[in-house]
Amino acid sequence: MTEFCRERRGEIRRRLKVLVVKVGSNILTAADGGLSSRAFSRIARQIRELRENGVRVVLVSSGAIAAGRERIGLGRKPLSLAQKQAAASAGQTALMGQWEKAFRRHDMTVAQILLTPADIVDRERFTNLERTVETLLSLGILPIVNENDAVATFEIRFGDNDRLSAYVAGLVRAQCLLLLSDVAYLYTSDPRVDPSARPLPCVSRIDSRIERMAGLSRSGLGTGGMSSKVGTALWANGWGLPVGVLKGDLTRGIVRFFEGRTGTLFDTPRPLPSNRKIWIGHFSRPRGDLYLDAGAVIAIRTGRTSLLGAGVTHASGEFAAGETVSLRDSSGEEIARGIVRKGVREIAPKGEGLLVHLNDLVLSDSSLHE
Ligand code: GLU
């Protein structure tokens, strides 16, 4: 590992106040498919240690479907979507039971939070959730998050907990996200079939070469795999969150990761914005578009001005005041997103007044690369 990579990890560790740890199904299950209480204790011990060292942790745990299969007598057969949802409902209580037991030994109380994407996209639910998690953390309680598989429909799912954990990291404005799984590193190729495969300890930019490498590695039980981890890292790095991937069954894996002794760090030079800006720029769904004239595009790209009605040539979509919209140049390229102060019907071309305040505005990638 390069000196720079080791230093970066040390720097992230020193700044760490809130950490999100995501644990995959593969490392919570034993060879017979049941939950492995040793795996739970190993992780609980590490989280307790982090807490003693002043780091607040939010845990995102998979494993409900894996735990529920046995419970509802479905063994290892391929499951339909409805069966998976039923297995998750039955398995979630077993999963939480194991976490409760593991953390009780360390005098830690746990709380369960089950989420669907709708809870993140909606501003009011998002802020409620933020307040709940903040309250739990300030009471010294460990929030344990999973997808609410019973209600999530096929179209509206996080799909895998890698993505969900990045949303949670944005919600709590974590300084780092760690994905614990059965793979130790991102490798240059699949180490099981290619003896020349090399582990990559630091990835400072995710490009198509890195994505190709990720496609070569596989993983068994969970829905994730390395591709999903790299996809999540690419997205999260985009708004300033460093992401680590490491093996989840190491005794002091998390400490060793920050010491630069294991795992792959997907790093980003971007500073972490407020969670409100993360929500506007990356979590909310734009309801419409505002097309800007050339002068307004230049002004907005400086990152220092609000959008006034005079800079807007036309608006499209169905949005009300208080919703998110995309700000686009005349060619249709998105240059920013922001919360608009007027509904679509109140906006006249080259009209008057404030449309998007600077505090409610987040530049898109195309603007940041200029
Ligand atoms: N929510 C699923 C479960 O708890 C896991 C999804 C995933 O594999 O990431 O079983």
Side-chain angles (χ1 to χ4, degrees), residues 22 25 61-66 88 92 95 146-147 149 157 159-162 221-224:
K22 182 259 173 176
S25 308
S61 175
S62 304
I65 297 175
Q92 181 64 26
L95 184 66
N146 196 358
E147 179 155 13
D149 291 308
R157 303 202 64 197
D160 66 64
N161 280 357
D162 296 332
L221 261 185
T223 47

Side-chain angles (χ1 to χ4, degrees), residues 67-80:
R69 284 173 168 274
E70 296 296 330
R71 279 204 161 180
I72 61 175
L74 291 171
R76 292 183 172 201
K77 285 188 295 218
L79 303 183
S80 69

Side-chain angles (χ1 to χ4, degrees), residues 340-359:
V340 63
R341 302 230 168 161
K342 291 182 181 172
V344 67
R345 268 168 277 285
E346 300 161 72
I347 296 176
K350 305 275 178 187
E352 298 209 327
L354 179 67
L355 279 189
V356 182
H357 190 274
L358 179 60
N359 292 343

Side-chain angles (χ1 to χ4, degrees), residues 1-11 13 46 49 178 183-187 199-202 244-247 250-265:
M1 179 170 317
T2 63
E3 200 45 44
F4 177 74
C5 183
R6 208 184 308 273
E7 266 171 31
R8 265 302 285 159
R9 295 196 194 196
E11 194 180 314
R13 174 64 190 89
Q46 298 187 65
E49 193 183 328
L178 293 183
V183 280
Y185 293 93
L186 172 68
Y187 287 89
L200 294 173
C202 240
V245 172
L246 67 153
K247 215 158 177 332
L250 306 174
T251 305
R252 297 186 75 232
I254 296 179
V255 169
R256 292 175 58 195
F257 174 84
F258 286 115
E259 288 172 352
R261 289 159 66 198
T262 194
T264 297
L265 170 67

Side-chain angles (χ1 to χ4, degrees), residues 96-215:
M96 286 306 290
Q98 287 283 351
W99 283 124
E100 286 220 330
K101 203 167 88 197
F103 281 105
R104 201 177 304 127
R105 280 195 224 109
H106 301 291
D107 283 327
M108 286 175 69
T109 305
V110 302
Q112 171 183 273
I113 298 179
L114 298 177
L115 297 178
T116 61
D119 303 320
I120 298 286
V121 170
D122 183 275
R123 182 78 199 144
E124 203 178 328
R125 291 197 205 183
F126 183 85
T127 50
N128 271 334
L129 191 58
E130 179 190 354
R131 206 165 37 230
T132 307
V133 176
E134 179 53 38
T135 307
L136 289 169
L137 289 173
S138 65
L139 291 169
I141 296 169
L142 174 78
I144 303 183
V145 183
N146 196 358
E147 179 155 13
N148 193 348
D149 291 308
V151 302
T153 59
F154 188 64
E155 301 79 23
I156 317 166
R157 303 202 64 197
F158 292 108
D160 66 64
N161 280 357
D162 296 332
R163 188 52 74 120
L164 168 62
S165 63
Y167 277 108
V168 172
L171 176 87
V172 295
R173 200 174 177 273
Q175 291 80 25
C176 186
L177 164 65
L178 293 183
L179 304 174
L180 271 56
S181 77
D182 58 351
V183 280
Y185 293 93
L186 172 68
Y187 287 89
T188 50
S189 57
D190 188 343
R192 284 163 306 180
V193 294
D194 180 0
S196 70
R198 277 184 308 110
L200 294 173
C202 240
V203 175
S204 54
R205 206 170 73 84
I206 299 172
D207 52 21
S208 56
R209 202 175 51 103
I210 295 290
E211 283 173 339
R212 205 167 40 247
M213 288 172 189

